[in-house]
């Protein structure tokens, strides 16, 4: 088992290296340089050259990349933002909690709504308790998060004035963004729970349990749910990771200072270290979450367990 | 087995919950004014690269020697009480106030000015303003002299852009200056918090030489998104705001808020690159360029893009308040018949494809582009609109690869300032390369801008510059579109002295107070 | 002799699995899928037949004195901030949004699918391709697309390429898994042993058998791709104006949320409807192709 975990953790390293190289290359081959953006319209050529030199942007691409990676590996130094000249690491530390809060609150909301309703629809299949939520979920799953966000903003901030429209200082600020991001996710979660439950119910061991005369309630709650939850756990993890990145439009809409806005601003302003830092952190985080899920899964799934805990220890 | 799974599930959920710690925001203080910034801040230093956001909050923190009052184009004292220029135009002498303190408690001395001017000289951002002077000198504690390389009469305009900082405070911070709270200014407010993506907080300075500011705390809050910022303003979370143009009509009409339009010396141009390689260099044809100029429906652009927060503009600078600013003799008003005529003269009566118009995304430029595209299409001039990110777009423009593009520029009120776009010493970064071209009399333009800075007499300067402007306007390379305005709005419980408002002094919170 | 027998078996198998008539029959029985299909055909037709009735000029023709006009006979859905006809923009915008979804799905399928197939077919390529796909997949898709668009320039072609690349890993993995399942089967090994070329095996035996998975996956991803394109446009890195696109129309509408809130209704509704319909069709197809999975 430990062997499996170690192997998976080690596999993350080349992925991060690959991602960093890919993004660094994309950013570097974009026309434009940080100094001419920073200095604006009337800048002289000498000023642009001087600033690019100060920022270290006049070095060749590969050299900059190697310096960047070496600094991270040896000193855990993510460099300085071209624009604010503040250490990227500090900015990451202040922005990560916001992205995390947004994603985790949304996924919790999604679970709280999606899983119970999903179970209900599966248990009461073909009744009103099935069709109404299913159709609702079908529509909500199709909502672009930014559109839902706009509608919420319009109704609850602009018209009713209940919730603030920007900022991230208190929990109140997260209500609208979390609903906007969480509802479509809840719909997806509900659909998934429903089909997972229905699939489990059709399995042989459930039929066996039923035929043995176990009461229906115990069949559903004890046998079916237990097994249906396994794939759901996987989905929670994967979607949590995905939400961190998909929160782009939501962060823009509510002016949340999260990692996605850092990347968008960085791309616009050619602030390579900002984009790199935020992308690497997001990627690393997503990979870790997926890894965690896989490990949990491996614990549960006897086949994987057997493969790694057999003769090879 | 079941227990273990439940346990695992619980662990996963708990881990997630653990991330959801929500620190409660600091309790709201009573005497605090909230101001919205449209962008993330980029620096504390008034010398490093700065953007609009820095400009706003630095207005109350750092001060220059003299202040350019852009309502009438005159200078008013700030840190310097009085000033004089030597007869040969080479030495500027500033007499400083003796009651100015920096936020760290140090008294301001002429040596701090020397330090500041030297620091500014090293900053790539300020080269336009610092290039005229050679060295700065402290004669005694209250006398400060600046030596120029050659006579340069717009110098006071430039010095109004150079803020004074404390030598001690800046030296103590060393390389960190610009990245964290610094008590280095002399303004009515000192910094207490600097968080570039969230907010900058400042507090009234007790020892300010004109007396302590009426409002104790000011928070400059970063809110990038316009609609959420306006909502915040309406909910009272923001006390004073530069209203995004799309909301101006609504907000200014409401009697719940005070509001005022202030002209901002920011001019939007359409640039038509005569050297563009696209479409077989079709834009080398001056008549086609002029035809495009006649297709710019300035009023429609003002209405749609700025919703009235701008005025259509026909010249580079307002001659009424600009030192040396001439009246334009050539103007391009919106006139499709003239455009057709011009096109006919060019030899393309049936229309012509001129390539692409590049606009930065996402911005007002994109809307302007669509309006110009629609009216050009009516006379048969066709082009595509291309969107780029600012960094890439500027680079393309500077490389002279774009056919048409936009540019906006805020001007110091001296005509020499627009020389940046036309004098060929800056050729490398020009959007339209004049140097060496036989399509335009660039040598005369250069000469006129050179002469203009050396001439002392305002009337003579106007005459010199009018010739430069005539050549540029005739070339059909830069078409002025509109001059924008700030539309400011504030809550009714705030009393705002708007008399000092302008593009350069920029709304210092010193002039605001709560109504009792 | 043995090979003949094999082929025969295969044919039987093939017929059973992908008999179009049979699938269509099952699909028809699925009421919600049929509703989705009918609505989709209707919207598709509205957006793609529109050019016959509404000239493109009415999408770009401006009337700045008449902006934000309420619905009238001349402008069924009113006008936008330039005084352009909103209905014409919705129709043409739908065409744009849907086309992006279709084309991007096709590219994504073609590239991602071939990579997946190669990976599953050639062990040596497998590791290389899948590690590359792992890297691509670990960058959140929308951010990946953002970076690509900003690097290559904002225009229609680049937006399509960017979202195709960002969605590629999903296609690659699904196709690989599907093909793996088939390649492992005995009849393929037998065909190989019998000297049938790789290409023939792929086209004759493998492709038809994983066609169902591919079709379902493509339908499902089409809606995701449309959402991605709309998100990009919303952030301001999408289709260039004046061409309308639902996402960019929403982005413009957001600025005018106060003065003209109605502008944000139609484009958003359009996206939701088309996405829902595609999801319904996708669900229906999945059930039709593989009735065992029917939920």
């Amino acid at each position: 088992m430990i062997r499996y975990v170690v192997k998976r953790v080690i596999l993350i390293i080349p992925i991060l290296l690959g991602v960093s190289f890919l993004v660094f290359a994309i950013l570097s081959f974009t026309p434009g340089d940080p100094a001419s953006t920073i200095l604006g319209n009337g800048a002289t050529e000498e000023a642009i050259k001087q600033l690019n030199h100060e920022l270290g942007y006049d070095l060749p691409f590969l050299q900059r990349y190697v310096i960047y990676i070496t600094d991270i590996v040896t000193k855990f130094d993510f460099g300085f933002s071209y624009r604010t000249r503040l250490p990227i690491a500090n900015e990451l530390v202040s922005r990560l909690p916001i992205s995390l809060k947004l994603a985790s609150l949304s996924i919790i909301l999604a679970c709280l709504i999606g899983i119970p309703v999903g179970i209900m629809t599966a248990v009461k299949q073909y009744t009103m308790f099935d069709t109404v939520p299913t159709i609702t979920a079908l529509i909500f799953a199709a909502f672009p998060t930014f559109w839902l966000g706009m509608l919420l903003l319009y109704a609850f901030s602009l018209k009713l004035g209940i919730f603030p429209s920007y900022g991230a200082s208190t929990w109140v600020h997260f209500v609208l963004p979390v609903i906007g991001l969480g509802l479509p996710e809840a719909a997806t979660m509900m659909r998934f729970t429903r089909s997972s439950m229905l699939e489990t119910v059709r399995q042989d061991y459930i039929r066996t349990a039923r035929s043995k005369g176990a009461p229906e309630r115990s069949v559903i709650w004890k046998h079916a749910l237990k097994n249906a939850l396994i794939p759901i756990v996987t989905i929670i993890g994967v979607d949590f990771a995905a939400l961190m990145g998909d929160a782009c439009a939501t962060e823009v809409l509510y002016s949340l200072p999260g990692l996605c806005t850092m990347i968008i601003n960085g791309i616009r302003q050619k602030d390579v270290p900002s984009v790199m830092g935020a992308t690497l952190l997001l990627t690393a985080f997503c990979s870790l979450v997926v890894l965690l899920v896989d490990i949990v899964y491996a614990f549960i799934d006897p086949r994987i367990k057997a493969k790694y805990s057999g003769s090879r220890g | 087995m079941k227990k273990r799974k439940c346990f695992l599930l619980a662990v996963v959920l708990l881990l997630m919950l653990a991330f959801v710690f929500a620190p409660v925001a600091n309790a709201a203080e009573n005497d605090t004014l909230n101001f919205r910034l449209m962008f993330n801040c980029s620096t504390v230093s008034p010398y490093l690269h700065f953007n609009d956001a820095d400009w706003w909050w630095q207005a109350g923190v750092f001060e220059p020697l003299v202040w350019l009052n852009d309502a009438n184009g005159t200078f008013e004292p700030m840190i310097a009480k009085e000033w004089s220029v030597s007869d040969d135009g080479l030495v500027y002498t500033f007499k400083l106030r003796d009651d100015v303190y920096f936020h760290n408690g140090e008294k301001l001395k002429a040596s701090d000015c020397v330090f500041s001017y030297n620091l500014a000289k090293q900053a790539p951002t300020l080269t336009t303003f610092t290039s005229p002077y050679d060295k700065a000198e402290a004669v005694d504690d209250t006398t400060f002299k600046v030596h120029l390389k050659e006579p340069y009469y717009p110098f006071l305009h430039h010095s109004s852009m150079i803020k004074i900082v404390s030598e001690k405070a800046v030296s103590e911070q060393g390389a960190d200056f610009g990245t964290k709270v610094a008590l280095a200014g002399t303004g009515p407010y000192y910094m207490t918090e600097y968080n570039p993506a969230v907010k900058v907080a400042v507090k009234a300075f007790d020892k300010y030489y004109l007396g302590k500011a009426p409002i104790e705390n000011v928070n400059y809050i970063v809110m990038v998104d316009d609609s959420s910022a306006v909502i915040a303003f309406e909910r009272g979370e923001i006390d004073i705001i530069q209203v995004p143009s799309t909301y101006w009509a609504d907000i200014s009409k409401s009697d719940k808020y005070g509001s005022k339009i202030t002209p901002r010396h920011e001019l939007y141009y359409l640039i038509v690159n005569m050297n563009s390689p696209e479409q077989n260099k079709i834009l080398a044809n001056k008549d086609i360029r002029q035809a495009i100029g006649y297709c710019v429906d300035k009023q429609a652009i003002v209405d749609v893009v700025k919703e009235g927060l701008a005025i259509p503009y026909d010249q580079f600078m307002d001659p009424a308040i600009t030192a040396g600013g001439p009246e334009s003799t050539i103007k391009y008003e919106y006139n499709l018949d003239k455009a057709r005529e011009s096109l006919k003269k060019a030899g393309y009566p049936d229309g012509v494809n001129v390539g692409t118009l590049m606009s930065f995304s996402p911005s007002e430029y994109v809307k302007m582009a669509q309006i110009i595209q629609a009216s050009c299409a009516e006379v048969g001039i066709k082009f595509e609109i291309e969107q780029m990110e600012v960094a890439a777009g500027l680079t393309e423009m500077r490389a002279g690869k774009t056919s048409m593009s936009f540019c906006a520029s805020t001007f110091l009120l001296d005509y020499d300032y627009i020389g940046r776009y036309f004098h060929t010493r800056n050729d490398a970064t020009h959007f339209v390369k004049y140097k060496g071209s036989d399509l335009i009399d660039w040598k005369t333009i250069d000469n006129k801008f050179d002469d203009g800075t050396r001439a002392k007499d305002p009337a003579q300067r106007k005459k010199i510059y009018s010739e430069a402007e005539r050549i540029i306007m005739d070339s059909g390379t830069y078409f002025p579109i509109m001059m924008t305005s700030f539309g400011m709005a504030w809550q009714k419980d705030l009393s705002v002295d708007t008399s000092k408002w302008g593009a350069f002094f920029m709304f210092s919170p010193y002039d605001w107070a709560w109504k009792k | 002799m043995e090979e003949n027998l094999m082929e025969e078996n295969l044919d039987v198998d093939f017929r059973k699995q992908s008999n179009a008539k049979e699938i269509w029959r099952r699909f028809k029985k699925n009421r919600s899928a049929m509703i989705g299909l009918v609505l989709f055909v209707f919207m598709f037709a509205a957006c793609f037949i529109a050019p016959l009735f509404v000239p493109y000029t009415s999408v770009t023709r401006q009337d700045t004195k008449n902006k934000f006009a309420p619905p009238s006979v001349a402008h069924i859905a009113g006008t936008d901030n330039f005084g352009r006809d909103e209905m014409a923009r919705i129709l043409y915008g739908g065409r744009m949004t849907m086309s992006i979804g279709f084309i991007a799905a096709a590219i994504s399928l073609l590239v991602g699918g071939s990579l997946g197939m190669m990976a599953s077919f050639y062990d040596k390529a497998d590791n290389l391709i899948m590690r590359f796909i792992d890297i691509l997949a670990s960058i959140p898709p929308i951010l990946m697309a953002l970076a690509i668009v900003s690097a290559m320039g904002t225009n229609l072609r680049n937006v399509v390429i960017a979202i195709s690349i960002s969605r590629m890993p999903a296609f690659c993995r699904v196709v690989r898994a599907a093909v793996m399942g088939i390649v492992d089967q005995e009849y393929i090994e037998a065909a190989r042993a019998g000297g049938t070329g790789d290409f023939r095996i792929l086209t004759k035996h493998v492709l038809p058998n994983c066609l169902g998975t591919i079709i379902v996956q493509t339908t499902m991803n089409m809606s995701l791709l449309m959402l991605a394109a709309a998100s990009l446009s919303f952030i301001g890195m999408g289709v260039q104006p004046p061409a309308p696109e639902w996402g960019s129309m929403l982005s413009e509408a957001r600025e005018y949320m106060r003065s003209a809130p109605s502008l944000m209704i139609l484009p958003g509704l359009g996206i939701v409807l088309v996405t829902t319909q595609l999801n319904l069709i996708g669900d229906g197809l999945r059930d039709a192709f593989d009735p065992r999975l029917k939920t």
Side-chain angles (χ1 to χ4, degrees), chain A residues 82-94:
Chain A
Y82 288 159
R83 228 177 156 75
T84 62
R85 306 214 183 174
L86 287 169
I88 296 291
N90 294 4
E91 198 170 351
L92 292 179
V93 168
S94 76

Side-chain angles (χ1 to χ4, degrees), chain B residues 2-221:
Chain B
K2 182 189 165 194
K3 265 186 192 159
R4 192 144 134 207
K5 270 178 226 158
C6 285
F7 174 73
L8 275 170
L9 196 65
V11 168
V12 171
L13 281 174
L14 268 178
L15 271 175
M16 285 179 160
L17 267 172
F19 291 127
V20 196
F21 50 88
V24 183
N26 39 346
E29 290 163 73
N30 285 332
D31 193 6
T32 302
L33 179 134
N34 292 319
F35 184 96
R36 179 231 178 174
L37 296 180
M38 301 162 96
F39 307 100
N40 289 357
C41 303
S42 66
T43 178
V44 168
S45 160
Y47 308 125
L48 292 175
H49 37 79
F50 51 77
N51 60 25
D52 268 12
D54 302 327
W55 213 195
W56 283 96
W57 72 260
Q58 285 186 3
V61 174
F62 298 103
E63 293 180 330
L65 292 173
V66 293
W67 162 53
L68 171 58
N69 183 344
D70 48 356
N72 52 22
T74 58
F75 292 97
E76 292 182 18
M78 219 154 187
I79 293 173
K81 283 191 290 194
E82 50 202 49
W83 53 90
S84 61
V85 53
S86 64
D87 288 339
D88 58 2
L90 285 176
V91 183
Y92 279 74
T93 310
F94 296 90
K95 202 78 191 141
L96 310 176
R97 294 178 72 108
D98 59 358
D99 55 354
V100 179
Y101 289 89
F102 287 110
H103 298 147
N104 60 357
E106 297 278 312
K107 196 165 182 172
L108 177 137
K109 293 194 295 269
S111 58
D112 291 302
C113 299
V114 175
F115 176 77
S116 305
Y117 269 62
N118 290 340
L119 204 57
K121 189 98 185 152
Q122 294 162 18
T125 340
L126 295 178
T127 41
T128 326
F129 310 120
T130 56
S131 55
Y133 66 81
D134 214 13
K135 77 178 179 41
E137 171 198 9
V139 179
D140 56 49
D141 275 0
T142 58
T143 315
F144 170 59
K145 272 189 183 172
V146 183
H147 298 270
L148 308 191
K149 294 171 195 160
E150 52 182 44
Y152 187 79
Y153 284 94
F155 181 68
L156 270 188
H157 287 87
H158 288 13
S159 74
S160 72
M161 301 302 284
I162 300 170
K163 310 273 181 81
I164 304 300
V165 294
S166 156
E167 179 171 8
K168 184 159 177 262
V170 172
S171 308
E172 275 170 6
Q173 286 197 346
D176 282 347
F177 178 62
T179 59
K180 57 185 192 190
V181 171
L183 298 175
T186 59
Y189 285 90
Y190 65 93
M191 299 177 73
T192 53
E193 186 186 337
Y194 177 69
N195 190 346
V198 182
K199 76 169 184 181
V200 179
V202 298
K203 205 170 170 60
F205 181 41
D206 286 331
K207 285 158 109 181
Y208 186 56
Y209 53 87
L210 295 175
K212 195 181 172 190
I215 294 177
E216 183 71 26
N217 303 294
V218 180
N219 288 336
Y220 292 90
I221 299 171

Side-chain angles (χ1 to χ4, degrees), chain B residues 225 227 230-231 234 246-247 250-251 297 300 303-304 307 361-362 366-367 370-371 373-374 384-389 392, chain C residues 60 62 64-65 67-68 81-82 84 89 150 153-155 235-242 252 254-259:
Chain B
D225 185 66
S227 44
V230 172
I231 294 171
E234 294 191 302
T246 47
Y247 295 90
D250 261 16
I251 299 275
D297 187 349
D303 289 346
V304 171
E307 308 260 335
S361 71
V366 183
K367 290 188 200 163
Q370 292 179 63
I371 293 175
Q373 190 188 41
E384 297 285 312
I385 297 173
E386 188 187 16
Q387 272 176 275
M388 282 187 144
E389 288 312 312
Chain C
T60 52
Q62 301 174 357
T64 50
K65 305 232 161 29
K67 53 181 187 178
F68 304 130
N81 56 322
F82 290 96
R84 298 178 296 206
R89 291 186 68 75
S150 78
T154 316
N155 61 40
I235 297 170
M237 296 196 183
V239 179
Q240 77 266 54
E252 276 177 23
R254 182 170 67 125
E255 282 184 58
Y256 302 100
M257 196 190 267
R258 249 183 97 92
S259 39

Side-chain angles (χ1 to χ4, degrees), chain C:
Chain C
M1 159 79 190
E2 203 180 290
E3 202 185 328
N4 275 346
L5 203 89
M6 263 288 316
E7 294 259 295
E8 211 176 275
N9 273 345
L10 233 185
D11 281 348
V12 170
D13 196 38
F14 170 60
R15 219 174 288 137
K16 220 189 286 171
Q17 277 227 3
S18 63
N19 188 326
K21 259 191 193 152
E22 171 68 15
I23 290 166
W24 174 236
R25 195 186 57 78
R26 283 201 291 258
F27 187 85
K28 258 198 310 197
K29 276 206 297 198
N30 189 336
R31 207 172 34 163
S32 54
M34 276 312 279
I35 295 176
L37 183 66
V38 169
L39 284 178
F40 180 74
V41 168
F42 175 75
M43 282 189 73
F44 185 88
C47 292
F48 281 80
I49 299 178
L52 298 180
F53 305 100
V54 189
Y56 187 72
T57 45
S58 57
V59 170
T60 52
R61 191 191 301 125
Q62 301 174 357
D63 180 5
T64 50
K65 305 232 161 29
N66 194 20
K67 53 181 187 178
F68 304 130
S72 63
V73 182
H75 305 290
I76 305 170
T79 60
D80 71 355
N81 56 322
F82 290 96
R84 298 178 296 206
D85 184 54
E86 179 76 0
M87 198 61 210
R89 291 186 68 75
I90 289 289
L91 292 176
Y92 276 89
R95 195 165 68 144
M96 179 69 84
T97 308
M98 284 190 231
S99 312
I100 293 178
F102 298 148
I103 299 171
I107 297 177
S108 213
L109 170 67
L110 217 65
V111 181
S114 338
L115 280 179
M117 217 169 265
M118 249 154 59
S120 57
F121 225 65
Y122 305 107
D123 282 343
K124 275 180 205 147
D126 189 26
N127 227 332
L128 195 74
I129 292 175
M130 289 328 279
R131 292 299 81 76
F132 175 66
I133 291 294
D134 280 348
I135 291 172
L136 272 191
S138 38
I139 308 174
I142 188 86
L143 294 177
M144 181 77 197
L146 258 176
I148 296 175
V149 168
S150 78
M152 304 202 310
T154 316
N155 61 40
L156 181 59
R157 188 197 61 197
N158 294 347
V159 168
V160 171
I161 294 178
I163 57 174
S164 311
I165 294 179
S166 71
R167 212 65 232 171
M168 224 171 62
F171 278 97
C172 182
R173 283 176 176 169
V174 167
V175 169
R176 176 172 171 270
V179 175
M180 286 278 228
I182 297 160
V183 169
D184 284 351
Q185 312 235 322
E186 281 168 14
Y187 62 83
I188 300 285
E189 263 169 51
R192 260 189 183 159
T196 318
D198 280 353
F199 187 73
R200 197 178 142 78
I201 292 181
L202 262 181
T203 49
K204 259 276 192 248
H205 305 314
V206 178
L207 256 187
N209 279 303
C210 56
L211 205 60
T213 321
I214 291 175
I215 290 177
V216 171
Q217 183 68 15
T218 312
T219 323
M220 295 293 204
N221 269 290
M222 208 131 57
S223 58
L224 288 177
L225 281 160
M226 274 171 42
L227 282 182
S231 302
L232 270 189
S233 299
F234 181 77
I235 297 170
M237 296 196 183
V239 179
Q240 77 266 54
E245 195 271 340
W246 285 343
S248 62
M249 288 175 75
L250 275 179
S251 170
E252 276 177 23
R254 182 170 67 125
E255 282 184 58
Y256 302 100
M257 196 190 267
R258 249 183 97 92
S259 39
S262 60
L263 285 182
M264 67 181 183
I265 302 298
L266 281 182
L269 212 58
I271 297 177
V272 170
L273 284 178
V274 171
T275 316
T276 311
Q277 292 153 6
L278 282 174
N279 285 347
L280 280 175
I281 297 173
D283 283 353
L285 281 175
R286 188 191 54 207
D287 297 346
F289 273 110
D290 194 348
R292 281 165 304 174
L293 285 177
K294 176 140 177 58
T295 50

